Amino acid sequence: MVAAIHQPQYLPWLGLIDRIIKSDVFVFLDSVPYSKNYFYNRNRIKTANGWIWLTIPVLFKGKFGEKIENIRIDNGINWREKHLKSISLAYKKAPFFKQYIPHLEDFYSKEWLFLSQASIASTELMLKLFGITARTIKSSDIKAEGAKETLLIDICRKLGAKAYLAGPDGKNYIRPENWKESNIEVRFQDFRHPKYQQLFGEFLPQMSAVDMLFNYGQDCLSLLLDAKREYSDLVLK
């Protein structure tokens, strides 16, 4: 069994979805400290004026070291209405906008209390709309011990994973000898970002998965999986 582990992302980008596809079980790492200016509570969409951030406001002041699972959303700010409006304006002319916007409307109709709830739900929604069946679990439900690499190893042990799929940056901190002691093979993700037709001219990579969703609909998964295909030659239907 191959396990992948990463902090929850809000409206995740394609690289995270690719990592989930390539694993047997994906663990939302919500039991580690929250850090500002990461993708836990924000992501990017493409608009007529370039890309913009969609950011969930959180109540974090004075809570340095607080775990992601305990970070509350600042619902005093009407971020849900703002994000839905921004997405609608950006993608209303996309081929699959009418088909998928009701799912986003349903997501934003809920008043999420905790960041991890909203981020995990947004990721699971993208998986569902991409047609991906994946086993997911939260690290807070596993009760693993340790910190950093030791924590990742303990999560894999408790899941019975024989291999761990790390992101490309894992080469900067993973020590293979630590994993060999636990008989866990370490693999590194080799993600090649697909280049596809977007609205508003020149292609911008590393947008939220909603960008591909509204532009390609049910073809998203095949585009993501087919690494040999010439994505630059694809046209919108």
Side-chain angles (χ1 to χ4, degrees), residues 45-189:
I45 61 170
K46 187 180 181 184
T47 75
N49 299 311
W51 62 264
I52 63 170
W53 287 111
L54 296 182
T55 303
I56 299 178
V58 296
L59 299 169
F60 183 64
K61 187 176 181 180
K63 295 186 178 181
F64 181 78
E66 187 71 79
K67 293 180 179 179
I68 294 173
E69 63 178 312
N70 297 325
I71 297 297
R72 298 181 70 92
I73 294 174
D74 184 358
N75 283 312
I77 300 173
N78 195 359
W79 64 275
R80 291 178 292 138
E81 181 179 340
K82 179 181 178 181
H83 289 196
L84 181 59
K85 182 177 180 180
S86 294
I87 291 172
S88 297
L89 287 173
Y91 297 104
K92 62 183 178 181
K93 293 184 179 180
F96 295 91
F97 176 76
K98 291 183 179 179
Q99 180 175 342
Y100 292 106
I101 193 60
H103 297 279
L104 274 296
E105 290 173 340
D106 180 65
F107 171 80
Y108 288 114
S109 71
K110 298 178 173 64
E111 186 171 342
W112 306 98
L113 298 179
F114 291 92
L115 174 62
S116 61
Q117 294 174 335
S119 296
I120 291 172
S122 73
T123 298
E124 292 182 335
L125 175 60
M126 290 299 103
L127 295 176
K128 175 184 175 182
L129 298 181
F130 270 56
I132 299 167
T133 301
R135 178 190 171 196
T136 63
I137 189 171
K138 296 182 294 183
S139 63
S140 57
D141 291 336
I142 298 176
K143 307 303 181 186
E145 300 176 348
K148 298 182 179 180
E149 187 177 17
T150 303
L151 175 62
L152 302 181
I153 292 173
D154 196 43
I155 289 173
C156 289
R157 283 177 183 157
K158 286 183 165 56
L159 290 173
K162 299 301 181 182
Y164 170 62
L165 178 60
D169 291 340
K171 295 178 181 179
N172 297 326
Y173 64 84
I174 284 181
R175 298 181 179 180
E177 61 272 18
N178 294 336
W179 296 80
K180 286 181 180 179
E181 291 177 1
S182 299
N183 295 314
I184 300 172
E185 176 191 357
V186 177
R187 304 173 185 175
F188 294 97
Q189 180 188 23

Side-chain angles (χ1 to χ4, degrees), residues 2-20:
V2 180
I5 306 168
H6 201 278
Q7 294 92 335
Q9 280 189 4
Y10 173 53
L11 295 177
W13 77 300
L14 297 177
L16 184 65
I17 291 181
D18 174 78
R19 199 164 159 199
I20 295 174

